[in-house]
Amino acid sequence: MSSKVSAKKILEEVGAEAGDVIKIVKPNITYKGILLDRPETFDKNYITLKLDNGYNIGIDISDAKIELIEKSTKSEIKFEGLDIKEDPNLPFISIISTGGTISSIIDYRTGAVHPRFTANDLLNAYPELLDEANIKCKEILNILSENMDPKYWEKIARAIYKEIKNGVDGIVVTHGTDTMHYTAAALAFMIRTPIPIILTGAQRSSDRPSTDARLNLISSVVAAKSDIAEVAVCMHATPHDRECYLHRGVKVRKMHTSRRDAFLSINDLPLAKIKDNKVEIINNNYIKRDTMEPKLNNKLEPKVALIKTYPGMNAEIIDFYVENNYQGIVIEGTGLGHCAESLIPSIKRAKDAGIPVVMTSQCINGRINMNVYSTGRKLLKAGVIPAQDMLPEVALVKLMWVLGQTKDFEEVSKMMTKNLVGEINNKSSLIYFPGGYHGLEKDRS
Amino acid sequence: MDWKKIGLKVGLEIHQQLDTKHKLFCPCKCELIDKDPEFKIFRKLRPTLSELGKFDRAALEEARRKLKFIYQAYTNETCLVEADEEPPHSINKEALEISLTIALLLNMNIVDEFHVMRKQVIDGSNTTGFQRTGLLATNGYVKTPNGKVGIQTLCLEEDAARKVKKTKDGVIFRLDRLGIPLVEIATEPTMNDPEQVKEVAYKIGQILRSTKVKRGIGTIRQDLNISIKDGARVEIKGVQDLDLIPTIVKREVQRQLSLLEIKNELQNRNAQVPNKIYDVKEIFKNTSSKIIANSPHVMAIKLCGFGGLLGKEVQPGRRFGTELSDYAKKRGVGGIIHTDELPAYGISKEETENLKDYLNVSDEDAVVMVVGEKEKCIEALKEVQKRAKLAIKGVPEETRRALSDGNTEYLRPLPTASRMYVETDIPPVPITKEYIEKIKSNLPELPEEKMRRVMSEYNISEDLASQLLKKDRIDIFEKIMEKVNLEGKIVGATLAYSLDEIRREGHDIDKLTFNDLLDVFKLLENKEISKDAINEILAYMTDKNCSAEEAAEKLDLKLLSEDEIKSIIDEIISENIELIKERGTNAIGPIMGMSMKKLRGKADGKVVNKIVTKKIQKLVS
């Protein structure tokens, strides 16, 4: 076999670029088609060709001759412009896009899913949203949610606040699903809102016929028109394209890697079900529209860590954060809120250095109680702040926000144990676990 | 008919399920499930932009029907991948290897790197809204008595979900079939003889059977691409019976020729299709037609210059009106009523005249009516208008469904190439030359090679060997021959001919297992039965579900021992001793006859003959 030559170099020699029609002559066969870009992760000795029949194939060009047949203008994905007329009888909803699967599209030049779809494109793809409301779109970020960062939460909060001040009736934020529950929690602490702020996303991208984006979006717009003036996450309630749940932003977690109904309310009931473009309230304990003056407080202390404990964990992990000047630590402990006793000296050292340490549980479901076992009591004595039934991620975000307000240990401790925006429920209901409200409907037909 | 002169071009597409341990993109088994579904999942699909930024015609068509889908699922037999709730797993390597084997047997050129694509299909048969498919090989051929036929492409793809039933506003599918690996083999569209198409289908089928593919109903499906000069490419789906292929081709040719005649006539008449849709319920307010009286709405359109043509036959039993009706039915109405067939359905002559007067049409024109809900009527009539406009231009490109009589009916417009984009969840799979060489050195025996070898190895005729091959019993033949010491032609003839005779007599031979057959031949080998008894024993086994031994006993067909035979013959001789005395050795014939009458099926004729001859000779000497 001849030695491998990078395809890129050979293509440069004949002046062929992605989108051009080329001919490839190999010892036994000749192919003709459109040259496509290859993602960087693919083998560099091959090129990707789109044949006339629509199929892509990869060709090893170490034994091939390439001929440029036709330079091509690159086709762009374009929607026809929508003629949008304002309907004074419909409410005004702002859609703020931040990226993620919901706004992904196939980039045919690289063949990868890219967060390139703007909020306006979404409206073009789902014009039925306009039957529900007058919709204004704003693209403020375009990132995959794994790249979300506290500084972006501040930015999103600012944009939302501006829209509230502009007098819209509700807000929908499109977001990648991986970290949507962190953003939801952050917004809940940062903004006092008189109107609904609904986060939504998609587990199947918008370029697919089976995307969950349509139902999630339309249901979110419906939720944004509702009476529920809270930060909430609106996603598929089941694997069916039939209804969405509206989850309280500080009580929701992505609990599945891929299912449409990945988001579950934890230690709480969903606020509502959105079905056939109608809101059915499930949980009456919510803040009503127009009962709150809008207020923005988006100051955060990002230097806070979330540490999961495990058997055999070395205390030096906690020391690392203390030495590196972290301002707060949330521990995702075991069971009712424990960790190995060997960690307690380091935890005490952190507290003594003025770093608040908050205890949550890796059980996710349920409330911590550090009085039941001696380790818990020792941890409390060491100054650990119990986070009650707060989710670890919510405790992390809350601690960032609280530390943005005050660095006073006593004050921090007080705020962390007090319910501010629905993140702590004092009462645990039987129905909260294991997602008793949720699940596939058995076929009984 | 001179097929070349009319420019007949036929291409064949064969879909064959592979017999792999698990599905193409998940670990579920490739088996259909008969038990009641445990879950149902409700979904809606919508068309999306493809990577080239064009909406697909066929996809839009389906979207307009706003179908809702229900998928039946199971706890253990299906998983999240089929439900489109989990990304596809890595491609099944076993399926890839079988496909490569098939590609090499078809003399094809294999791609260097296999890319999985998403082919948009939003009829609900895929939960994702697309079928995963990849092009694995191109440029092959098969040889037939009528020359070489090119094999254009071989694709490895996932089978679609199984349609369970259609409901009022959607379709119910079962997820069991979704994801079973399939190869799709497409020939060049160059065949110009209906019989050759069947030959090629048969030949490819034989090659497929020499590899690890599924057998049985529904595991192989044939589609045909047919066009004639000035006609259009028409794809005919779901051809089940190979013997029907020539009829389907001939009838499609007939259809296209008739449509071309209609086109010429329409153009001569300067035919027009006005867009206006009329509400004509008023005309029928006192009607005695039940169809019309029972319908909330009766809507009509004018087809100017179409008069008399709707009744023209395009295929046996199918008229041009049927073509229009097929389009209307896609919009949920029962069909159309047109003036070429009126008065009928209880609609009177007077009402027909009133209708024509109301719409101001002459005999050169036609009126098409549909009944039902207003929305559906309008949608249906728009479809009829669309089809009628196409008729003026000629033969429309269509996907059609094969009917069991060799006719076809309209399914949807022909899909365009823009329905394909890349499956981003599955990285491309390089196929190295070394890997191809390894498969090449292990290729299975081709059917014809196998036939030749079996002929010489077991000393059987070409006719017998080819029958065994054709009936797919050549492997069973070989396996039995390995285990018994019998003449090849006896085992061969039983498998190739007797089994079908038994079937024709009304016995269910599918009940017979390999071991059942082997047991029968073992009895023969051990001289416990005669070869004349085989058919009767096999038939009895299928009817009574019993073993070969039991059947032979119950039927009293077990061969007697030589002593038993001798004693029976002795008895016959002593009863006929006068005859022997009278005729001497000439009595051998009649005595033999009497013995065989008593011993048929229980003793070998040769043995009986030997004993009878010996005894009589001894008596008379």
Side-chain angles (χ1 to χ4, degrees):
Chain A
M1 246 167 90
S2 55
S3 65
K4 296 272 181 186
V5 191
S6 131
K8 199 176 152 219
K9 206 173 150 220
I10 296 176
L11 291 171
E12 272 169 12
E13 278 168 18
V14 291
E17 291 172 296
D20 294 347
V21 179
I22 59 168
K23 191 164 114 180
I24 297 167
V25 183
K26 306 244 302 173
N28 297 317
I29 192 154
T30 300
Y31 296 108
K32 204 182 113 189
I34 301 170
L35 179 68
L36 300 185
D37 260 352
R38 279 173 75 87
E40 282 178 13
T41 47
F42 287 12
D43 191 322
K44 290 189 172 44
N45 297 305
Y46 294 74
I47 61 163
T48 306
L49 200 65
K50 180 176 273 303
L51 305 180
D52 280 350
N53 58 17
Y55 280 97
N56 293 4
I57 56 169
I59 301 167
D60 178 352
I61 58 166
S62 56
D63 57 352
K65 281 199 183 75
I66 297 183
E67 235 176 86
L68 179 64
I69 303 290
E70 195 187 324
K71 289 300 274 184
S72 171
T73 50
K74 273 159 206 131
S75 69
E76 283 280 324
I77 296 164
K78 267 201 193 107
F79 288 106
E80 283 167 27
L82 267 186
D83 186 20
I84 304 172
K85 285 197 189 80
E86 218 167 77
D87 181 347
N89 297 318
L90 287 178
F92 286 77
I93 304 292
S94 281
I95 297 183
I96 293 172
S97 79
T98 68
T101 297
I102 193 164
S103 46
S104 307
I105 194 162
I106 294 283
D107 185 341
Y108 122 84
R109 284 170 47 78
T110 60
V113 177
H114 272 273
R116 202 174 67 176
F117 233 26
T118 65
N120 247 324
D121 290 335
L122 278 180
L123 204 51
N124 276 293
Y126 305 106
E128 59 264 48
L129 297 176
L130 293 165
D131 298 337
E132 288 296 325
N134 293 300
I135 288 176
K136 200 175 77 182
C137 293
K138 223 176 189 166
E139 187 197 357
I140 61 162
L141 289 168
N142 204 344
I143 54 167
L144 292 168
S145 82
E146 58 267 33
N147 297 326
M148 191 46 78
D149 187 281
K151 68 175 180 272
Y152 297 136
W153 298 339
E154 294 172 16
K155 188 174 174 181
I156 298 167
R158 219 163 30 240
I160 290 171
Y161 184 70
K162 212 173 130 193
E163 290 303 304
I164 298 173
K165 286 301 227 184
N166 283 341
V168 297
D169 299 298
I171 289 165
V172 174
V173 180
T174 65
H175 197 288
T177 55
D178 274 11
T179 59
M180 186 152 65
H181 50 298
Y182 290 86
T183 304
L187 297 176
F189 291 113
M190 288 169 163
I191 307 167
R192 296 287 166 274
T193 177
I195 58 167
I197 299 170
I198 313 297
L199 282 82
T200 192
Q203 291 281 79
R204 303 280 96 76
S205 55
S206 294
D207 59 272
R208 303 163 62 126
S210 63
T211 181
D212 51 335
R214 195 208 83 93
L215 183 69
N216 291 347
L217 263 177
I218 193 113
S219 303
S220 297
V221 168
V222 170
K225 289 159 58 180
S226 76
D227 196 31
I228 304 170
E230 289 202 27
V231 175
V233 166
C234 182
M235 291 288 284
H236 267 57
T238 63
H240 311 294
D241 285 329
R242 195 162 55 196
E243 63 256 315
C244 283
Y245 276 140
L246 194 64
H247 304 275
R248 199 190 307 274
V250 284
K251 281 293 187 194
V252 66
R253 195 170 189 276
K254 187 177 188 180
M255 296 297 282
H256 198 277
T257 57
S258 59
R259 281 172 62 138
R260 286 164 173 75
D261 54 352
F263 283 81
L264 299 186
S265 284
I266 307 284
N267 300 331
D268 206 353
L269 280 179
L271 295 169
K273 183 192 267 186
I274 320 287
K275 190 178 177 185
D276 299 329
N277 297 3
K278 281 182 194 70
V279 179
E280 296 168 28
I281 299 292
I282 295 172
N283 184 345
N284 266 307
N285 175 28
Y286 64 88
I287 298 165
K288 306 249 174 347
R289 185 182 278 274
D290 292 328
T291 51
M292 211 84 63
E293 279 302 312
K295 199 177 155 202
L296 174 69
N297 189 345
N298 62 352
K299 205 156 172 284
L300 289 178
E301 170 50 66
K303 224 161 159 100
V304 178
L306 174 58
I307 306 167
K308 184 169 188 158
T309 68
Y310 50 89
M313 177 170 161
N314 196 310
E316 64 193 17
I317 289 174
I318 291 168
D319 297 339
F320 167 88
Y321 290 100
V322 176
E323 281 154 24
N324 283 278
N325 209 22
Y326 272 70
Q327 302 293 299
I329 293 172
V330 176
I331 293 179
E332 202 179 298
T334 53
L336 287 164
H338 308 128
C339 64
E341 279 194 46
S342 57
L343 303 183
I344 296 177
S346 292
I347 289 171
K348 187 157 189 314
R349 190 179 145 219
K351 195 253 160 183
D352 291 345
I355 301 166
V357 179
V358 176
M359 180 59 77
T360 63
S361 175
Q362 51 194 258
C363 295
I364 305 297
N365 285 282
R367 178 185 309 277
I368 63 163
N369 189 325
M370 301 170 72
N371 294 316
V372 180
Y373 296 98
S374 62
T375 309
R377 292 193 287 270
K378 283 178 194 164
L379 283 163
L380 282 176
K381 205 163 163 249
V384 166
I385 304 164
Q388 306 186 54
D389 72 335
M390 253 194 289
L391 283 162
E393 297 82 4
V394 173
L396 169 81
V397 173
K398 184 177 180 182
L399 188 54
M400 286 182 182
W401 183 80
V402 167
L403 287 169
Q405 317 307 308
T406 176
K407 290 273 157 67
D408 179 78
F409 186 88
E410 288 311 313
E411 194 61 22
V412 168
S413 182
K414 221 170 96 190
M415 285 174 84
M416 284 307 291
T417 48
K418 188 182 160 199
N419 175 38
L420 302 179
V421 292
E423 77 279 16
I424 294 171
N425 267 339
N426 286 322
K427 192 168 145 176
S428 310
S429 165
L430 265 176
I431 203 172
Y432 296 165
F433 181 79
Y437 57 90
H438 177 277
L440 273 170
E441 281 163 50
K442 288 270 180 179
D443 186 357
R444 300 194 195 285
S445 58
Chain B
M1 185 155 325
D2 186 341
W3 306 109
K4 278 186 186 145
K5 200 172 153 201
I6 59 158
L8 175 65
K9 281 189 176 150
V10 187
L12 182 68
E13 221 177 73
I14 294 179
H15 296 89
Q16 168 75 63
Q17 287 183 348
L18 305 182
D19 191 16
T20 50
K21 285 192 192 73
H22 63 87
K23 288 184 175 175
L24 195 51
F25 297 111
C26 74
C28 293
K29 280 191 183 150
C30 304
E31 276 159 23
L32 298 187
I33 300 154
D34 280 331
K35 62 179 182 180
D36 288 340
E38 293 162 46
F39 302 103
K40 55 180 184 184
I41 303 169
F42 171 85
R43 291 279 167 73
K44 289 178 184 173
L45 295 176
R46 62 191 275 137
T48 58
L49 286 172
S50 88
E51 65 187 298
L52 291 169
K54 284 180 198 152
F55 266 114
D56 176 57
R57 209 165 44 164
L60 269 180
E61 166 94 356
E62 281 157 345
R64 276 216 299 273
R65 270 183 268 152
K66 292 174 189 153
L67 290 177
K68 295 165 185 169
F69 307 109
I70 289 169
Y71 299 100
Q72 299 179 337
Y74 297 85
T75 307
N76 297 317
E77 290 83 352
T78 61
C79 72
L80 288 186
V81 174
E82 292 113 322
D84 189 40
E85 287 284 20
E86 183 174 290
H89 299 191
S90 300
I91 193 157
N92 180 339
K93 287 277 154 49
E94 186 190 7
L96 198 62
E97 187 158 325
I98 298 168
S99 310
L100 285 167
T101 304
I102 295 167
L104 291 170
L105 290 174
L106 293 171
N107 311 295
M108 302 187 78
N109 211 298
I110 292 169
V111 301
D112 298 331
E113 196 183 55
F114 178 70
H115 289 235
V116 180
M117 308 295 291
R118 295 170 172 178
K119 189 193 264 188
Q120 195 168 307
V121 185
I122 55 164
D123 62 1
S125 59
N126 290 74
T127 46
T128 50
F130 49 75
Q131 180 192 29
R132 298 190 180 97
T133 172
L135 177 66
L136 190 63
T138 57
N139 284 47
Y141 62 87
V142 281
K143 281 187 197 154
T144 74
N146 278 321
K148 259 190 195 179
V149 172
I151 307 290
Q152 219 164 29
T153 53
L154 181 145
C155 297
L156 172 58
E157 52 195 39
E158 55 181 6
D159 204 347
R162 184 155 62 109
K163 195 168 173 177
V164 176
K165 68 175 178 196
K166 196 163 172 7
T167 60
K168 216 177 106 219
D169 58 351
V171 187
I172 300 176
F173 291 97
R174 190 166 290 187
L175 293 182
D176 54 2
R177 203 181 67 187
L178 179 62
I180 294 179
L182 273 186
V183 287
E184 184 214 74
I185 296 162
T187 72
E188 301 274 357
T190 51
M191 289 177 272
N192 46 33
D193 182 325
E195 293 296 331
Q196 189 192 13
V197 185
K198 179 181 150 188
E199 239 167 51
V200 172
Y202 172 69
K203 176 95 188 194
I204 295 174
Q206 288 295 332
I207 291 174
L208 287 170
R209 281 174 168 192
S210 66
T211 67
K212 237 180 133 202
V213 298
K214 287 226 172 214
R215 307 286 182 93
I217 298 162
T219 60
I220 183 163
R221 303 194 286 275
Q222 276 93 205
D223 299 343
L224 296 170
N225 272 299
I226 304 175
S227 68
I228 60 170
K229 198 170 64 189
D230 300 325
R233 190 165 82 85
V234 165
E235 189 176 298
I236 295 170
K237 292 260 177 210
V239 181
Q240 291 287 350
D241 181 1
L242 292 194
D243 292 331
L244 206 55
I245 288 178
T247 311
I248 293 172
V249 176
K250 286 172 195 169
R251 293 202 178 179
E252 178 56 23
V253 170
Q254 183 186 359
R255 195 182 73 92
Q256 296 205 13
L257 289 172
S258 306
L259 290 176
L260 288 174
E261 277 171 34
I262 291 169
K263 174 200 85 169
N264 290 337
E265 182 59 24
L266 289 171
Q267 288 182 352
N268 286 343
R269 296 184 189 178
N270 193 21
Q272 306 283 333
V273 181
N275 286 327
K276 192 159 181 204
I277 295 174
Y278 302 86
D279 189 333
V280 293
K281 178 88 180 167
E282 189 63 21
I283 294 169
F284 298 98
K285 63 182 172 210
N286 299 317
T287 191
S288 50
S289 162
K290 276 188 191 144
I291 312 173
I292 297 215
N294 293 340
S295 295
H297 287 275
V298 187
M299 314 286 286
I301 52 164
K302 287 200 273 193
L303 298 177
C304 303
F306 282 67
L309 294 175
L310 272 63
K312 188 177 158 60
E313 200 174 72
V314 293
Q315 278 181 334
R318 287 178 62 86
R319 278 161 282 278
F320 177 52
T322 325
E323 297 260 313
L324 299 181
S325 180
D326 283 350
Y327 274 64
K329 281 182 187 167
K330 293 286 163 197
R331 288 292 171 273
V333 299
I336 62 167
I337 300 167
H338 59 82
T339 42
D340 279 5
E341 57 184 351
L342 294 180
Y345 314 116
I347 297 167
S348 69
K349 195 157 190 294
E350 193 191 341
E351 283 168 333
T352 310
E353 287 309 317
N354 287 345
L355 176 70
K356 286 183 171 177
D357 287 347
Y358 181 77
L359 295 179
N360 193 21
V361 299
S362 73
D363 285 346
E364 253 215 356
D365 306 322
V367 176
V368 171
M369 290 191 289
V370 294
V371 299
E373 291 158 34
K374 191 171 181 179
E375 279 288 299
K376 275 189 181 169
C377 287
I378 292 172
E379 288 278 302
L381 286 173
K382 279 186 183 166
E383 283 299 300
V384 174
Q385 288 172 335
K386 192 171 96 184
R387 177 64 187 87
K389 284 176 188 169
L390 291 170
I392 303 172
K393 287 186 198 147
V395 185
E397 291 193 333
E398 287 172 349
T399 301
R400 301 179 67 83
R401 190 205 329 264
L403 302 173
S404 57
D405 60 358
N407 282 342
T408 56
E409 69 175 9
Y410 171 71
L411 208 55
R412 55 180 174 260
L414 209 59
T416 43
S418 60
R419 71 208 301 230
M420 197 90 82
Y421 63 111
V422 70
E423 170 54 270
T424 47
D425 297 342
I426 302 160
V429 184
I431 299 163
T432 62
K433 292 193 175 72
E434 292 78 5
Y435 186 41
I436 294 172
E437 284 308 317
K438 200 181 126 204
I439 293 170
K440 238 184 206 166
S441 60
N442 275 312
L443 283 182
E445 195 175 26
L446 275 174
E448 228 140 274
E449 293 167 11
K450 181 182 275 179
M451 195 183 99
R452 299 272 154 219
R453 180 178 56 73
V454 166
M455 273 170 66
S456 68
E457 211 163 295
Y458 301 102
N459 192 25
I460 60 172
S461 68
E462 177 167 352
D463 180 55
L464 186 52
S466 76
Q467 283 302 315
L468 286 170
L469 183 70
K470 193 167 177 191
K471 290 177 175 160
D472 199 22
R473 292 179 192 144
I474 200 159
D475 289 336
I476 300 175
F477 170 75
E478 279 210 84
K479 275 193 213 154
I480 288 174
M481 289 306 290
E482 277 165 23
K483 290 190 174 14
V484 296
N485 183 18
L486 287 170
E487 270 183 73
K489 67 179 176 196
I490 292 174
V491 176
T494 303
L495 296 175
Y497 306 116
S498 307
L499 282 180
D500 296 297
E501 278 165 32
I502 297 167
R503 190 209 301 273
R504 277 195 293 275
E505 283 160 13
H507 307 282
D508 182 8
I509 61 161
D510 293 335
K511 280 189 191 160
L512 294 172
T513 64
F514 172 77
N515 282 329
D516 286 338
L517 292 168
L518 182 63
D519 289 344
V520 174
F521 289 115
K522 282 274 186 202
L523 289 178
L524 183 64
E525 183 189 23
N526 297 334
K527 300 205 163 53
E528 287 180 65
I529 59 169
S530 83
K531 75 176 198 307
D532 304 330
I534 291 178
N535 286 16
E536 218 177 317
I537 290 173
L538 286 170
Y540 191 85
M541 287 166 76
T542 63
D543 293 348
K544 307 279 178 188
N545 280 328
C546 67
S547 70
E549 183 78 34
E550 249 177 280
E553 298 232 350
K554 285 267 160 63
L555 291 168
D556 201 14
L557 289 174
K558 285 205 91 175
L559 285 182
L560 300 173
S561 70
E562 208 160 305
D563 286 346
E564 286 169 310
I565 296 169
K566 274 180 188 159
S567 86
I568 287 172
I569 291 173
D570 280 345
E571 214 172 291
I572 292 170
I573 287 175
S574 68
E575 279 167 12
N576 294 284
I577 196 79
E578 290 308 317
L579 182 82
I580 297 166
K581 280 182 183 161
E582 201 176 293
R583 296 206 198 165
T585 50
N586 286 340
I588 291 175
I591 297 295
M592 182 65 198
M594 284 180 250
S595 304
M596 278 317 287
K597 202 171 164 191
K598 222 168 184 178
L599 290 165
R600 189 174 310 280
K602 288 186 247 179
D604 186 352
K606 276 184 204 155
V607 177
V608 176
N609 193 27
K610 206 171 91 192
I611 297 169
V612 169
T613 309
K614 212 169 167 187
K615 283 193 184 281
I616 290 179
Q617 277 169 349
K618 201 173 168 189
L619 272 176
V620 300
S621 61

